[in-house]
Amino acid sequence: MPSKSLIKRTLYNLGIPLVTGGIFALIFLLRGDMGMAIAMTLVFYGLALVNVSKYTLDEVHYLGLTEVILGIIAGLFTEWSLLIWTAGFGVCHIVYGTAMYLKYDLNKE
């Protein structure tokens, strides 16, 4: 079982970019810029994953980089941002989850 110190560091390193990004995206959402708000959720979520990856699996780092890249693309092409957001939060997590299952869980059986 992980120590309380590790859990606190993990939550801290995940939480700061995640909460900051959420507030920043909310500001853009309140100003009516849905495309940029969507893009920011991807970017800041990706930054949070990269930041917390030192306390988790190495592969989380690459998932975070993928989310950041997709967020930047969504910011450039705001008319496609919802579709890119779906790819980032949906498809990427399915692919990541499948890869982690194949790498770690399937080998245990």
Side-chain angles (χ1 to χ4, degrees):
M1 179 161 179
S3 68
K4 288 182 183 180
S5 171
L6 177 63
I7 293 170
K8 285 180 184 179
R9 285 194 312 260
T10 301
L11 289 175
Y12 180 80
N13 283 281
L14 181 70
I16 288 182
L18 209 55
V19 171
T20 303
I23 293 168
F24 201 43
L26 186 60
I27 291 168
F28 273 78
L29 188 62
L30 292 173
R31 292 182 177 194
D33 196 347
M34 176 74 81
M36 285 305 291
I38 289 171
M40 280 182 219
T41 60
L42 282 166
V43 169
F44 280 94
Y45 176 64
L47 291 173
L49 290 178
V50 169
N51 201 36
V52 79
S53 66
K54 57 188 160 241
Y55 303 111
T56 61
L57 300 173
D58 291 337
E59 293 84 3
V60 172
H61 180 83
Y62 299 108
L63 177 62
L65 291 178
T66 304
E67 298 288 346
V68 169
I69 291 167
L70 287 173
I72 291 169
I73 293 169
L76 290 172
F77 304 102
T78 55
E79 64 277 2
W80 295 96
S81 61
L82 188 57
L83 185 61
I84 296 168
W85 187 89
T86 303
F89 282 107
V91 176
C92 285
H93 282 91
I94 291 169
V95 170
Y96 173 79
T98 302
M100 292 303 94
Y101 172 74
L102 294 174
K103 183 173 182 177
Y104 295 107
D105 290 344
L106 194 60
N107 293 332
K108 287 183 182 178
E109 295 175 1

